[in-house]
Amino acid sequence: QVHFVESGGGLVQPGGSLRLSCAGSGIDFSRDVVGWYRYVPEKKRRERVALIGPSGRTSFADSVTGRFTISTDSAKAAVYLQMNSLRNEDTSIYYCNTFPTSDSWGQGTQVTVSS
């Protein structure tokens, strides 16, 4: 069964950078698409931020394209999200999961972008 533990969040000023890490035990990197999601209070749901497939092909939400990158390390069963040029609107709790998502969400890691 998959289990996710996110880390790396924190407080950063607009324009700054953060690198999030996800320990994803149970992920099959040979077949699973994995990604990062963030909670949007206004929509009362999580939204997809970035995905990466077994081939290495990636996709990003329009709002983060050009600013975020996603990568994996199968040996460490880890998923990373490099976030650059952060904006106030990026403030959220960030989660990792597969795509389609598993019900086994982790606690997430808080990212706060503020002056």
Side-chain angles (χ1 to χ4, degrees), residues 80-101:
Y80 306 100
L81 184 68
Q82 178 66 46
M83 306 185 295
N84 300 320
S85 302
L86 284 162
R87 306 166 181 169
N88 293 110
E89 309 90 84
D90 295 317
T91 295
S92 186
I93 303 173
Y94 284 71
Y95 304 84
C96 60
N97 210 316
T98 53
F99 178 81
T101 58

Side-chain angles (χ1 to χ4, degrees), residues 38-47 88-93:
R38 65 189 182 188
Y39 186 69
V40 182
E42 293 79 8
K43 298 180 180 179
K44 298 182 179 179
R45 65 174 177 84
R46 298 176 180 90
E47 69 174 6
N88 293 110
E89 309 90 84
D90 295 317
T91 295
S92 186
I93 303 173

Side-chain angles (χ1 to χ4, degrees), residues 23-88:
S25 62
I27 295 173
D28 184 349
F29 287 95
S30 70
R31 67 187 306 168
D32 292 338
V33 175
V34 297
W36 287 90
Y37 304 77
R38 65 189 182 188
Y39 186 69
V40 182
E42 293 79 8
K43 298 180 180 179
K44 298 182 179 179
R45 65 174 177 84
R46 298 176 180 90
E47 69 174 6
R48 201 180 308 149
V49 175
L51 298 174
I52 185 167
S55 68
R57 182 174 290 107
T58 60
S59 66
F60 300 90
D62 289 343
S63 60
V64 308
T65 295
R67 300 187 297 120
F68 291 10
T69 58
I70 184 171
S71 61
T72 61
D73 184 339
S74 60
K76 297 181 179 179
V79 187
Y80 306 100
L81 184 68
Q82 178 66 46
M83 306 185 295
N84 300 320
S85 302
L86 284 162
R87 306 166 181 169
N88 293 110

